[in-house]
Amino acid sequence: MGKVEIGHIHRNGMVDILFTRSIRAVLVTEGLAETHHLLAQSGWISYYIRSDANVEGALWLYRLSWPHKQRGRARRHPAQRAQIDAALRNMQLSEDLANADGL
């Protein structure tokens, strides 16, 4: 989105998305993603689209990534910050994920 990379999809259906390490840890612990296939100690996650049923999970991770990246940019814009917070509340995050660094 603009100059911000939300993530990318490889030809084999592997989706890579960057989060903070603490958010990545919760996503992996909750079984919502896997550690990155090459950068296991980073905030990158990998998610595999193996069937049509996995598409919604990939989209959910992309939707989670965008407000997470925009939150820091919206510090000086209360209206934009309120929209981001509302978007995250609508995602019905687990308590651990909602409290993870950066969300």
Side-chain angles (χ1 to χ4, degrees):
M1 296 289 269
K3 295 181 181 182
V4 177
E5 179 180 9
I6 298 172
H8 53 268
I9 304 172
H10 296 269
R11 289 183 183 203
N12 66 355
M14 180 175 52
V15 175
D16 293 327
I17 302 173
L18 180 61
F19 292 96
T20 63
R21 281 189 236 164
S22 60
I23 294 171
R24 185 246 326 140
V26 176
L27 290 169
V28 170
T29 298
E30 293 184 358
L32 300 170
E34 297 180 26
T35 56
H36 189 268
H37 62 286
L38 296 175
L39 305 170
Q41 300 305 313
S42 72
W44 283 95
I45 60 95
S46 290
Y47 179 87
Y48 295 88
I49 300 175
R50 296 186 173 104
S51 70
D52 290 347
N54 299 126
V55 172
E56 188 57 40
L59 292 173
W60 185 87
L61 289 165
Y62 277 118
R63 285 191 297 270
L64 179 63
S65 176
W66 181 247
H68 153 254
K69 288 181 176 56
Q70 292 306 304
R71 219 172 195 194
R73 292 175 177 85
R75 281 192 198 116
R76 291 184 224 128
H77 305 283
Q80 186 180 13
R81 180 67 186 248
Q83 288 176 334
I84 293 166
D85 290 344
L88 289 169
R89 278 192 305 277
N90 288 336
M91 293 189 74
Q92 300 176 348
L93 305 176
S94 70
E95 185 176 340
D96 287 341
L97 195 50
N99 292 325
D101 175 48
L103 289 180

